[in-house]
């Protein structure tokens, strides 16, 4: 947590308060005018609305007749979240100013109507420090604060902006944990970004890297540079691959060793993000200020489309295997530097409460770990979701804090037909067993719908993946005994039997180009069940609408691909293609297996669910994870 002594007042020389009157302050946000990389738009931080200004990371220089504001994703102070979850009564904004102009602290209400909170005129300043104060008192439903900087005839430079609150209580240290698997350059870039920002780095204790890959970080020359920059903060751990769940839990495990007074909060972070180190200040500052322990999540922006927010608050429906659904009122895939229908900036103005947060960046207090245990050994997929819902069940909320974000690979550019979908399905069933009434008919209905679509659209490997997930779930909690490492290897072997699961470069196409014309999808069917029955009749009678064709990724709906005998389908990453070929024998074989599996699920599903619930305490215990890590604890 970054702290600083009180600043001088604006414009005039004001003596420091007496020693007894000094209030320690906690910096919870810096005013940044430019991103950490040329790969991200600077308008996410500040906007030049009029005139000309030179923006740098920590300062902005305005020419005459210029207006700059920070009513942006990273520039706003999202006051509504602070009023809801903390007892902070006011925010103090300090800045160093040079020149002549005006600095205003602006606030918005729930409906984006702005008001001026405080303003200071600056005349011929020479590196003077000013302070503006805003009460955090009218933001329960929504709203935020930002700075507006203007000049008329003079020049004005504003630098070193700090948003601070009263630091009322000491908190535990926060350790960063990065789990990595053969993403050496990405991980080193993330670590280097921390090293390059000493102020942000000062907010945290240990930086623990859990390396589970076969291509270790320590084998690279750059690792020595990063290690030297982090110094004693770095803790580097090598261990066998236990997936994201095993890697992140190792950090939680180590941070909560020993006596409770020695425990640390933990900020989990993916290895392949584009990091703005500012998130270290914002997450730790917010977590230190909450009334009660809560999970404080950073949000995700899309790496390929860096001005787009993935989602601002989400929930899941485990029984339907659905995740990433926006809470009503939440932004989803929002273009953050665009304008709404009223020509106002797109921000999360109204407060929305999330039900969980992804572990691309997520701070988990040690107090919560002590209360609810460690994550499940799920390998990956749903581990973060299950933990968020478990915390909720124990009375610990989660906040997805706007303005605290990292850039992560776009989910929309990942193909669904991959080996890790096994974990999405199996672990979704486990989460449903633990956190829902586990309606076997509702769940079976959803699984049957998915399977029927996969079979009819020639996704035989994905069909086998779904059935394997169901069958392994029914085996009970014993499947988690090895941390699911065995399941990860086995599902790859299973899927390798099905040719359409492999992606190929487009240059591998050997078909006559005249037989592979692009065929776009028509409108969605008005009655899906009747359409599916028609497609099934085509399969059984060896008929088709199209003998062959090329299907773009965005058109690869089951009801369209199922009209082909042979379809070359673009992978969602658009880096290659998948070749799907109708095989009635394989489809019927999988359908017969499905009939057996679904009968088992209806009969044995409730018992399996009870077994997971009964074993929950053991699976999430420190002793179980110590066994998986091969440690004496």
């Amino acid at each position: 947590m970054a702290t600083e002594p009180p600043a001088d007042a604006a414009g005039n020389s004001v003596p420091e308060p007496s020693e007894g009157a000094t209030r320690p302050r906690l910096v919870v946000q810096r005013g940044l005018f430019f991103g950490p990389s040329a790969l991200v738009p600077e308008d996410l931080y500040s906007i030049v609305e009029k005139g000309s200004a030179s923006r740098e990371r920590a300062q902005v220089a305005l020419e005459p007749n210029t207006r700059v504001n920070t009513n942006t994703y990273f520039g706003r102070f999202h006051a509504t979240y602070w009023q809801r979850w903390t007892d902070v009564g006011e925010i103090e904004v300090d800045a160093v100013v040079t020149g002549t102009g005006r600095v205003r602290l602006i606030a918005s209400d729930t409906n984006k109507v702005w008001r001026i909170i405080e303003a200071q005129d600056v005349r011929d300043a020479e590196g003077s420090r000013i302070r503006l104060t805003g009460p955090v008192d009218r933001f329960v439903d929504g709203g935020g604060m930002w700075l507006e900087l203007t000049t008329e005839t003079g020049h004005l430079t504003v630098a070193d902006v700090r948003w601070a609150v009263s630091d009322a209580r000491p908190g535990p240290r926060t350790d960063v944990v990065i789990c990595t698997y053969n993403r050496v350059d990405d991980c080193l870039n993330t670590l280097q970004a921390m090293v390059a920002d000493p102020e942000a780095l000062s907010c945290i204790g240990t930086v623990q890297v859990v390396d589970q890959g076969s291509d270790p970080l320590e084998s690279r020359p750059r690792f020595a540079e990063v290690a030297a920059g982090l110094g004693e903060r770095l803790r580097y751990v090598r261990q066998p691959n236990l997936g994201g769940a095993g890697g992140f839990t190792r950090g939680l495990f180590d941070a909560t060793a020993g006596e409770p007074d020695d425990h640390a909060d933990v900020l989990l972070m993916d290895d392949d993000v584009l990091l703005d180190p500012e998130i270290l200040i914002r997450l730790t500052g917010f977590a230190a200020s909450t009334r009660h322990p809560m999970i404080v999540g950073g949000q995700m922006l899309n790496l390929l489309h860096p001005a787009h927010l993935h989602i601002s608050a989400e929930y899941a429906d485990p029984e339907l295997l659905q995740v990433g659904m926006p809470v009503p009122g939440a932004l989803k895939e929002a273009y953050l530097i665009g304008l709404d229908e009223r020509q106002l900036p797109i921000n999360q103005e109204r407060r929305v409460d999330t039900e969980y947060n992804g572990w691309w960046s997520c701070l988990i207090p040690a107090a919560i770990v002590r209360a609810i245990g460690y994550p499940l050994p799920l390998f990956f997929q749903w581990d973060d979701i299950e933990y968020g819902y478990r915390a909720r069940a124990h009375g610990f909320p989660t906040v997805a804090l706007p303005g605290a974000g990292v850039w992560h690979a776009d989910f929309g550019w990942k193909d669904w037909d991959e080996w890790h979908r096994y974990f999405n399905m199996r672990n979704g069933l486990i989460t449903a067993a633990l956190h829902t009434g586990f309606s076997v008919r509702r769940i079976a209905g959803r699984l049957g719908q998915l399977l029927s679509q996969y079979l009819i659209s020639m996704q035989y490997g994905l069909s086998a993946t779904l059935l394997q997930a169901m069958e392994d779930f029914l085996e009970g909690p014993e499947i988690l005994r090895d941390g699911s490492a065995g399941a990860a290897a086995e599902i790859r072997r299973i899927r390798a039997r099905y040719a359409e699961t492999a992606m190929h470069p487009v240059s591998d196409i050997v078909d006559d180009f005249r037989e592979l014309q692009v065929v776009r999808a028509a409108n969605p069917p008005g009655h899906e069940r009747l359409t599916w029955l028609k497609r099934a009749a085509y399969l059984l009678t060896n008929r088709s609408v199209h003998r062959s064709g090329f299907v773009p990724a965005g058109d690869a709906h089951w009801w369209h691909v199922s009209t082909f005998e042979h379809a070359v389908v673009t992978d969602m990453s658009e880096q290659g293609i998948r070749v799907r070929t109708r095989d009635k024998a394989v489809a019927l074989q999988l359908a017969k297996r499905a009939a057996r599996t679904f009968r088992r699920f209806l009969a044995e599903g409730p018992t399996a669910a009870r077994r997971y619930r009964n074993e929950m305490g053991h699976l999430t215990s420190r002793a179980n994870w110590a066994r998986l890590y091969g440690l004496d604890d």
Side-chain angles (χ1 to χ4, degrees):
M1 296 175 288
T3 59
E4 65 175 30
D8 290 342
N12 300 301
S13 177
V14 177
E16 289 282 345
S18 64
E19 183 176 347
T22 299
R23 291 183 301 115
R25 302 196 313 152
L26 176 66
V27 175
V28 297
Q29 181 169 320
R30 295 179 296 186
L32 303 174
F33 302 97
F34 211 87
S37 164
L39 297 176
V40 302
E42 50 269 23
D43 283 1
L44 288 172
Y45 291 80
S46 63
I47 297 175
V48 182
E49 292 187 316
K50 182 181 73 170
S52 176
S54 175
R55 291 174 286 182
E56 299 179 24
R57 178 72 165 156
Q59 73 172 34
V60 59
L62 287 72
E63 297 292 322
N65 195 29
T66 293
R67 182 171 64 244
V68 174
N69 82 59
T70 64
N71 186 21
T72 62
Y73 179 79
F74 287 106
R76 286 167 62 99
F77 175 76
H78 296 268
T80 181
Y81 291 84
W82 283 84
Q83 185 167 352
R84 172 64 180 90
W85 297 111
T86 80
D87 289 323
V88 168
E90 65 179 19
I91 185 74
E92 297 173 344
V93 190
D94 290 353
V96 174
V97 294
T98 298
T100 299
R102 177 172 289 167
V103 180
R104 285 186 174 124
L105 178 61
I106 309 290
S108 62
D109 65 16
T110 306
N111 297 312
K112 294 189 177 183
V113 179
W114 60 268
R115 61 189 187 274
I116 300 172
I117 298 296
E118 189 176 356
Q120 289 202 23
D121 288 322
V122 178
R123 287 183 174 82
D124 301 322
E126 294 285 347
S128 301
R129 183 170 287 277
I130 64 170
R131 174 177 295 172
L132 299 95
T133 301
V136 183
D137 62 349
R138 295 178 182 271
F139 302 97
V140 170
D141 288 336
M145 300 187 210
W146 63 91
L147 292 180
E148 180 187 79
L149 317 173
T150 57
T151 58
E152 295 295 336
T153 59
H155 296 76
L156 178 67
T157 297
V158 178
D160 297 324
V161 177
R162 300 289 185 273
W163 299 69
V165 301
S166 296
D167 187 10
R169 69 178 192 274
R173 76 175 192 277
T174 299
D175 291 346
V176 169
V177 174
I178 299 174
C179 171
T180 188
Y181 178 81
N182 290 350
R183 287 186 173 132
V184 177
D185 290 333
D186 288 339
C187 188
L188 289 173
N189 289 342
T190 300
L191 294 170
Q192 186 61 57
M194 295 184 194
V195 172
D197 194 332
E199 183 179 5
L201 191 59
S202 70
C203 296
I204 60 175
T206 297
V207 178
Q208 179 165 346
V209 178
V210 182
D211 192 340
Q212 302 184 130
S214 56
D215 183 13
L217 261 67
E218 60 185 351
S219 67
R220 298 292 202 280
R222 191 154 64 106
F223 177 78
E225 300 174 23
V226 170
L230 290 172
E232 294 182 354
R233 293 182 187 274
L234 179 63
R235 180 189 295 147
Y236 181 67
V237 177
R238 295 281 307 279
Q239 69 180 30
N241 185 21
L242 293 170
F248 284 132
T249 301
R250 179 62 185 269
L252 292 167
F253 183 94
D254 292 343
T256 54
E259 297 300 318
D261 289 346
D262 297 327
H263 291 181
D265 295 348
V266 174
L267 173 52
L268 306 176
M269 188 172 297
D270 274 347
D271 56 352
D272 58 345
V273 298
L274 195 165
L275 176 68
D276 188 330
E278 174 70 9
I279 197 173
L280 305 180
I281 294 175
R282 298 190 183 188
L283 293 186
T284 57
F286 190 88
S289 304
T290 57
R291 296 184 191 93
H292 308 288
M294 62 188 299
I295 296 174
V296 182
Q299 296 184 340
M300 172 187 150
L301 292 89
N302 292 334
L303 187 60
L304 289 175
H305 304 87
H308 289 258
L309 175 70
H310 167 55
I311 193 168
S312 58
E314 57 191 316
Y315 73 99
D317 187 335
E319 287 190 339
L320 296 183
L321 301 182
Q322 292 180 337
V323 301
M325 294 181 289
V327 171
L331 297 177
K332 183 174 175 63
E333 302 303 329
Y335 183 53
L336 295 173
I337 58 176
L339 300 175
D340 65 13
E341 64 280 358
R342 296 160 58 194
Q343 298 302 297
L344 296 173
I346 294 175
N347 285 305
Q348 185 63 63
E349 201 72 63
R350 286 183 175 267
R351 178 179 52 79
V352 289
D353 296 330
T354 195
E355 297 193 357
Y356 66 89
N357 200 93
W359 284 354
W360 46 75
S361 58
C362 189
L363 192 154
I364 301 177
I368 294 181
V369 178
R370 290 195 296 269
I372 73 172
Y374 296 94
L376 281 167
L378 297 176
F379 199 80
F380 76 150
Q381 300 282 345
W382 285 86
D383 46 343
D384 46 6
I385 300 170
E386 188 282 322
Y387 201 80
Y389 278 109
R390 196 187 334 155
R392 285 176 66 84
H394 285 78
F396 298 107
T398 296
V399 63
L401 187 64
V406 295
W407 289 270
H408 184 280
D410 306 32
F411 288 160
W413 285 56
K414 294 183 178 182
D415 204 278
W416 182 256
D417 194 355
E418 295 286 354
W419 65 272
H420 45 77
R421 295 308 170 193
Y422 162 86
F423 289 99
N424 185 281
M425 297 168 183
R426 189 203 69 178
N427 296 347
L429 292 173
I430 293 173
T431 303
L434 297 172
H435 299 291
T436 75
F438 203 77
S439 168
V440 291
R441 294 200 174 276
R442 184 170 186 252
I443 298 169
R446 172 61 174 168
L447 292 169
Q449 177 191 39
L450 293 174
L451 181 69
S452 64
Q453 293 172 1
Y454 298 159
L455 284 174
I456 208 68
S457 58
M458 300 175 284
Q459 291 182 288
Y460 304 123
L462 189 54
S463 300
T465 301
L466 183 150
L467 293 173
Q468 191 67 40
M470 292 178 67
E471 292 162 359
D472 286 354
F473 167 79
L474 292 173
E475 293 302 309
E478 290 80 8
I479 62 170
L480 304 179
R481 180 167 178 77
D482 67 344
S484 297
E490 178 62 19
I491 196 61
R492 286 186 176 97
R493 287 193 290 269
I494 290 172
R495 288 175 55 84
R497 304 169 190 161
Y498 301 92
E500 84 285 349
T501 63
M503 182 176 71
H504 307 277
V506 70
S507 58
D508 281 2
I509 295 177
V510 296
D511 305 68
D512 188 325
F513 74 91
R514 291 167 295 185
E515 295 293 321
L516 285 181
Q517 298 302 300
V518 172
V519 182
R520 302 296 303 271
N523 293 326
H527 197 299
E528 287 195 1
R529 183 172 176 80
L530 290 178
T531 298
W532 187 89
L533 290 171
K534 184 176 181 180
R535 301 290 191 269
Y538 284 171
L539 169 67
L540 294 173
T541 58
N542 296 313
R543 291 184 296 154
S544 64
V545 177
H546 307 287
R547 195 182 74 81
S548 62
F550 201 113
V551 180
D555 291 294
H557 312 292
W558 68 266
W559 39 266
H560 179 54
V561 179
S562 56
T563 62
F564 295 83
E565 293 180 32
H566 174 81
V568 174
V569 181
T570 307
D571 185 88
M572 282 301 296
S573 69
E574 297 211 26
Q575 295 177 314
I577 50 96
R578 312 282 187 111
V579 180
R580 302 192 204 175
T581 302
R582 181 185 290 177
D583 190 323
K584 183 168 71 172
V586 171
L588 292 175
Q589 180 186 36
L590 287 166
K592 291 177 182 177
R593 177 184 172 187
R596 296 191 300 269
T597 302
F598 276 80
R599 281 196 298 269
R600 278 192 64 201
F601 185 81
L602 291 171
E604 303 172 22
T607 300
R610 284 193 297 271
R611 292 176 63 198
Y612 284 102
R613 291 193 289 270
N614 292 339
E615 285 294 307
M616 181 68 165
H618 169 69
L619 292 169
T620 61
S621 69
R622 187 171 182 86
N624 187 47
W625 279 105
R627 178 188 63 79
L628 287 166
Y629 296 136
L631 301 174
D632 295 324
D633 189 59

